[in-house]
């Protein structure tokens, strides 16, 4: 690999097993949503998350939408979400006709601040969607406590957190159900794709029904409820099985990247490293830090422009959803606003070379030292 290539933020690790499995799926003729890889992927993923059931979907977004639909969430309902997330978290709520209610983040984990949730609960609230942002688990005990007080469902948005541990438990199956994404930049990928995991048999039956046009499992072409086509293809699942087979090494590689960045960047003033809580094991998705311009001397945006000129791709942290033009609630949610303004994701692909991490860290240091 050329060490002077433009370093991407996140590229997939596709190897021989992926190619062999996809080849097998294609040549089997089962290219749509029947075929042996689907069941295999779901079974393996359920096991991986210590869940009884897993349902593969077309994307993380459709997984969230289906999860909400399975709970009959609809017009007039409200769902509490952290404002600091990718837009899909709130959009999935809007697709059902319900209203997303935005809550501020914590400074440490960057996830929904549990102590602020209760004030956002109304008689219309039906569910909470905590997001394990950038792979760090949300404070599930406190979230589940509010949920149980008000009889709310909890859908974990684990799109960025495959394999992360909350108090020793895999995220995704701690609440009512959990949703994952397998988009190309995620820790494991199926190109596009998603998964819902749950232990709840009633939810599982609903998910199965709604994912396949609401078609009765006993009578073909009998549709009792309005459903969707959110089925994953066998080709995607083939990729997914191969990726899942090596998830531990992928997570390990990502963790090593974080360790190396932490070591190289920790002494640069104004660079605030991601915080790891002692009760959690982060699954580093994108290594994301914040820039304190008073100490660093330049803004996050200036740093992004500089790194781009050095052939290093980065991403800004997600804009808070309450400030997005489609939602624009007029709220002031200062922690999320600050994190969003100062957060930057550095190259985090599992294939990243140590020399490339060193190049990124050196560029940040050079920019800091430049007057
Ligand atoms: C937090 C979060 N939720 C949901 C999604 C949606 O996943 P997908 O892109 O697979 O639809 C993403 C994806 O990128 C995400 O980061």
């Amino acid at each position: 690999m050329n060490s002077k290539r433009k370093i991407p933020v996140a590229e997939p690790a596709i190897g021989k097993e992926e190619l062999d499995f996809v080849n097998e799926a294609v040549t089997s003729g089962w290219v749509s949503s029947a075929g042996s890889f689907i069941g295999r992927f779901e079974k393996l993923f359920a096991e991986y998350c210590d869940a009884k059931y897993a349902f593969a979907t077309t994307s993380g977004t459709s997984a969230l939408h289906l999860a909400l639909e399975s709970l009959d969430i609809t017009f007039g309902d409200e769902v509490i979400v952290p404002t600091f997330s990718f837009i899909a978290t709130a959009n999935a709520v809007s697709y059902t006709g319900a209203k997303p209610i935005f809550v501020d983040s914590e400074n440490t984990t960057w996830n929904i601040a549990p102590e602020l949730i209760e004030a956002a609960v109304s008689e219309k609230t039906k569910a909470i969607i905590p997001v394990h942002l950038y792979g760090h688990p949300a404070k599930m005990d406190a979230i589940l406590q509010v949920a149980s007080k008000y009889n709310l469902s909890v859908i974990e948005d684990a799109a960025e957190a495959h394999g992360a541990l909350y108090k020793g438990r895999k995220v995704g199956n701690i609440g009512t159900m959990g949703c994952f994404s397998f988009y190309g930049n995620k820790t494991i990928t199926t190109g596009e794709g998603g998964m819902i995991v749950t232990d709840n048999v009633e939810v599982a039956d609903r998910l199965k029904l709604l994912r396949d046009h609401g078609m009765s499992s006993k009578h073909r072409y009998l549709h009792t409820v309005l459903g969707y086509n959110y089925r994953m293809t066998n080709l995607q699942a083939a990729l997914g099985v191969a990726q899942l087979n090596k998830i531990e090494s992928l997570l390990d590689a990502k963790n090593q990247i974080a360790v190396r960045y932490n070591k190289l960047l920790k002494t640069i003033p104004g660079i605030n490293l991601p915080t790891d809580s002692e009760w959690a094991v982060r699954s580093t998705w994108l290594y994301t830090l914040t820039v304190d311009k008073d100490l660093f001397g330049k803004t996050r945006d200036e740093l992004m422009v500089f790194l781009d000129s050095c052939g290093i791709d980065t991403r800004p942290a997600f804009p808070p959803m309450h400030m997005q033009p489609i939602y624009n609630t007029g709220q002031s949610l200062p922690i999320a606003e600050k994190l969003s303004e100062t957060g930057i994701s550095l190259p985090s692909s599992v294939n990243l070379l140590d020399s490339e991490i060193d190049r990124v860290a050196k560029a940040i240091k050079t920019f800091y030292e430049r007057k």
Side-chain angles (χ1 to χ4, degrees):
M1 209 180 300
N2 175 4
S3 67
K4 282 295 170 197
R5 68 178 180 141
K6 176 141 193 173
I7 307 176
V9 171
E11 60 185 358
I14 306 291
K16 185 171 179 315
E17 196 182 13
E18 281 80 355
L19 297 177
D20 287 348
F21 283 9
V22 172
N23 195 9
E24 191 184 323
V26 174
T27 48
S28 75
W30 294 102
V31 293
S32 293
S33 54
S36 64
F37 282 106
I38 307 267
R40 259 168 87 182
F41 188 34
E42 290 178 336
K43 184 167 179 296
L44 286 171
F45 202 82
E47 277 167 19
Y48 182 70
C49 294
D50 300 317
K52 284 194 184 137
Y53 310 99
F55 296 93
T57 61
T58 50
S59 68
T61 308
S62 60
L64 284 167
H65 181 205
L66 205 60
L68 289 155
E69 290 281 348
S70 77
L71 298 170
D72 281 328
I73 287 170
T74 187
F75 290 90
D77 294 338
E78 292 180 352
V79 177
I80 293 172
V81 299
T83 189
F84 191 34
S85 181
F86 179 61
I87 197 76
T89 312
N91 283 357
V93 175
S94 301
Y95 299 157
T96 67
K99 188 175 172 198
I101 302 296
F102 300 107
V103 169
D104 207 353
S105 313
E106 302 183 301
N107 234 332
T108 45
T109 65
W110 302 6
N111 293 317
I112 193 164
E115 69 279 7
L116 300 181
I117 295 178
E118 194 156 2
V121 175
S122 77
E123 72 277 6
K124 296 178 181 166
T125 312
K126 291 288 181 325
I128 307 170
I129 309 184
V131 181
H132 306 299
L133 204 68
Y134 297 109
H136 192 293
K139 286 192 178 147
M140 291 305 295
D141 282 350
I143 294 165
L144 290 171
Q145 214 173 353
V146 190
S148 112
K149 182 166 173 190
Y150 294 97
N151 198 21
L152 309 176
S153 300
V154 174
I155 301 171
E156 292 171 70
D157 183 341
E160 305 175 359
H162 316 68
L165 299 179
Y166 172 77
K167 297 188 177 173
R169 284 179 69 185
K170 290 260 171 61
V171 301
N173 192 29
I174 300 172
T176 317
M177 62 191 124
C179 299
F180 292 83
S181 165
F182 305 121
Y183 182 69
N185 67 9
K186 295 299 188 295
T187 302
I188 63 169
T189 186
T190 59
E192 296 277 357
M195 190 78 82
I196 310 172
V197 296
T198 185
D199 271 354
N200 183 315
V201 65
E202 281 159 37
V203 163
D205 287 345
R206 289 278 297 165
L207 290 170
K208 202 165 169 204
L209 183 70
L210 292 169
R211 182 181 58 172
D212 190 13
H213 294 291
M215 186 162 75
S216 160
S217 58
K218 297 195 182 67
H219 302 280
R220 187 170 281 267
Y221 306 134
L222 181 71
H223 304 269
T224 49
V225 292
L226 180 66
Y228 304 86
N229 175 359
Y230 280 165
R231 302 178 309 248
M232 178 181 275
T233 69
N234 199 39
L235 307 185
Q236 291 168 301
L239 200 51
V241 171
Q243 290 267 284
L244 193 55
N245 281 346
K246 61 184 190 196
I247 191 165
E248 292 310 333
S249 68
L250 297 176
L251 288 168
D252 192 47
K254 290 256 192 191
N255 186 39
Q256 294 305 322
I257 290 168
V259 168
R260 195 170 183 97
Y261 272 133
N262 282 344
K263 187 164 153 252
L264 295 169
L265 297 172
K266 70 176 181 216
T267 53
I268 305 178
I271 294 294
N272 300 320
L273 305 182
T275 315
D276 288 309
S277 310
E278 83 284 355
W279 43 266
V281 176
R282 176 195 290 274
S283 118
T284 295
W285 168 53
L286 296 183
Y287 180 88
T288 306
L289 49 76
T290 60
V291 179
D292 178 341
K293 78 170 183 323
D294 294 336
L295 293 171
F296 188 69
K298 289 104 182 163
T299 64
R300 183 275 312 270
D301 288 350
E302 287 165 341
L303 177 61
M304 287 183 70
V305 171
F306 179 75
L307 291 176
D308 186 59
S309 76
C310 301
I312 298 164
D313 205 7
T314 58
R315 292 284 177 279
F318 301 117
M321 295 189 291
H322 72 280
M323 295 173 83
Q324 291 278 4
I326 49 164
Y327 293 114
N328 204 13
T329 62
Q331 289 167 283
S332 162
L333 301 173
I335 307 280
E337 287 167 27
K338 181 92 178 166
L339 291 169
S340 164
E341 196 187 310
T342 57
I344 173 173
S345 299
L346 301 181
S348 307
S349 315
V350 285
N351 300 333
L352 202 62
L353 304 172
D354 283 353
S355 59
E356 291 177 317
I357 300 174
D358 297 353
R359 207 176 114 198
V360 176
K362 194 162 168 226
I364 296 174
K365 192 145 190 264
T366 304
F367 194 48
Y368 164 74
E369 284 164 355
R370 185 183 283 183
K371 290 293 160 246

